[in-house]
Amino acid sequence: MSVVIPVYQGEATLAAIMAEIECLTSVTVSPDGYPFVVREVLLVCDNGPDDSARVMRELDAQYGFVRAVWLSRNYGQHAATLAGMASSGNEWIVTLDEDGQHDPGDIGGLLDTAMREQASVVYAKPTNPAPHGYLRNSASSTAKWLLTKLFSGSNAPDYQSFRLILGSIGRSVAAYSGSGVYLDVAMGWVAGTVVTSPVRLRDEGDRRSGYSTRRLFSHFWRMILSSGTRALRFVSILGVVVGAAGAAVALFILVSRLAGNEVPQGWASTIVIVLLGFGAVLFSLGVIAEYIGINVNMAMGKPPYLITTDPAHGPLGRRHPRVP
């Protein structure tokens, strides 16, 4: 396994995380009996405001399994994670945060879920609320639901920064993703089975979040823009609905006049023209948006296919006996 940790404000927490991961650098057996070993930990420096770079250098010198990846400037968590995934070289990639909220001891449970479900991506699913307050937790849950159900059409049931990914999938995503793509949306394009595994989040302590309200909203908006063309199709659907309403109103007015009912002069033709015309405009915009969406997907690097190895001969094909 390769563990990827994007580092922005990790000065106070990285040393403790490395001490926890160190015990996983020798062969460890998961609860279901699958042996695994962490071969490398990739610390990706995202040029944060603290002295994380110094700590990374010290950890690189102290541990043989630690490797620092240096970015030229601050690019954000997802870009840093992609850089770490591209630099990895093992069968599985684990991504987790620098703040100690994720317990490295849960990696075995993620692996068991992957083998049990034959999944190429496993997201950690917290069994307790994240330590951010009710308002932020609610907003985060709502945003993830909107993205998954209404916009992306992804098969990912939840998005968390604590993930287990097949190495071939992770490195391929890192290779083709454009600069504006959202990492989890990109994985949803090519990953097969995507599932979740229960974990318990730990407290972050006194560490302040690096995401302000403005950055969180910007992050959510980028998720929507990079999620594909499903949102654009709402325009076409709205046009059809408005046009149908115009046709229904015209039919109602015609039937009313044939029945001898009085209809206000001028109102009938005006409302029908407005509804039919507005519906036609919206439908036309939706068609144009679909053409734009195709080019957007190309710009984001969405691949038409991804060639991989025979799953039966890779990590998912290994059926180790359960350890008594």
Side-chain angles (χ1 to χ4, degrees):
M1 290 188 179
S2 297
V3 176
V4 173
I5 304 177
V7 179
Y8 181 72
Q9 296 183 89
E11 179 182 1
T13 56
L14 281 176
I17 297 174
M18 291 307 103
E20 290 184 297
I21 294 178
E22 184 179 18
C23 65
L24 302 177
T25 58
S26 56
V27 177
T28 306
V29 179
S30 72
D32 282 359
Y34 293 99
F36 68 94
V37 60
V38 173
R39 295 292 187 192
E40 60 181 354
V41 177
L42 299 159
L43 302 178
V44 185
C45 182
D46 199 25
N47 296 277
D50 63 359
D51 202 13
S52 293
R54 173 186 58 80
V55 176
M56 288 174 56
R57 295 184 185 101
E58 292 175 353
L59 293 172
D60 194 351
Q62 179 181 355
Y63 297 106
F65 59 86
V66 172
R67 183 154 60 97
V69 178
W70 304 97
L71 301 184
S72 61
R73 63 172 177 83
N74 173 251
Y75 288 94
Q77 181 182 18
H78 287 270
T81 304
L82 285 169
M85 289 164 58
S87 304
S88 67
N90 288 286
E91 294 177 330
W92 293 98
I93 300 172
V94 176
T95 66
L96 53 84
D97 287 347
E98 61 182 6
D99 53 18
Q101 186 178 189
H102 303 141
D103 185 356
D106 290 327
I107 293 176
L110 299 183
L111 178 62
D112 286 341
T113 301
M115 300 303 294
R116 190 183 312 120
E117 303 291 338
Q118 290 293 281
S120 53
V121 179
V122 180
Y123 286 96
K125 187 175 183 63
T127 57
N128 60 312
H132 297 309
Y134 176 77
L135 183 61
R136 177 171 168 179
N137 289 342
S138 300
S140 177
S141 299
T142 302
K144 290 172 182 176
W145 184 89
L146 285 172
L147 179 67
T148 304
K149 303 299 182 183
L150 299 183
F151 292 103
S152 71
S154 169
N155 56 354
D158 197 4
Y159 291 154
Q160 293 288 335
S161 54
F162 191 14
R163 325 169 181 85
L164 175 71
I165 312 160
L166 272 178
S168 58
I169 295 292
R171 284 183 288 275
S172 296
V173 168
Y176 67 66
S177 295
S179 60
V181 73
Y182 184 73
L183 167 60
D184 297 296
V185 172
M187 284 200 296
W189 288 339
V190 295
T193 303
V194 182
V195 297
T196 61
S197 182
V199 302
R200 182 169 182 81
L201 296 179
R202 302 188 296 193
D203 186 55
E204 294 175 314
D206 297 329
R207 182 183 185 277
R208 293 184 58 187
S209 172
Y211 286 96
S212 62
T213 301
R214 181 186 64 82
R215 288 190 66 187
L216 286 170
F217 180 78
S218 175
H219 187 55
F220 170 70
W221 189 242
R222 193 181 68 161
M223 290 164 59
I224 298 300
L225 293 178
S226 66
S227 62
T229 60
R230 176 176 285 194
L232 298 176
R233 293 182 184 134
F234 289 158
V235 180
S236 298
I237 295 173
L238 182 60
V240 172
V241 171
V242 173
V249 171
L251 180 61
F252 172 77
I253 293 172
L254 177 62
V255 172
S256 296
R257 284 191 170 177
L258 291 176
N261 296 327
E262 184 177 350
V263 178
Q265 292 295 324
W267 177 85
S269 58
T270 300
I271 194 66
V272 170
I273 291 173
V274 167
L275 288 174
L276 290 177
F278 191 52
V281 169
L282 285 176
F283 183 76
S284 299
L285 287 175
V287 173
I288 295 172
E290 286 288 344
Y291 283 111
I292 295 174
I294 293 173
N295 290 280
V296 168
N297 283 334
M298 292 174 62
M300 289 191 301
K302 184 174 182 178
Y305 60 85
L306 177 65
I307 297 176
T308 185
T309 57
D310 183 351
H313 295 160
L316 289 174
R318 296 175 183 164
R319 294 295 186 179
H320 296 288
R322 188 179 180 86
V323 175

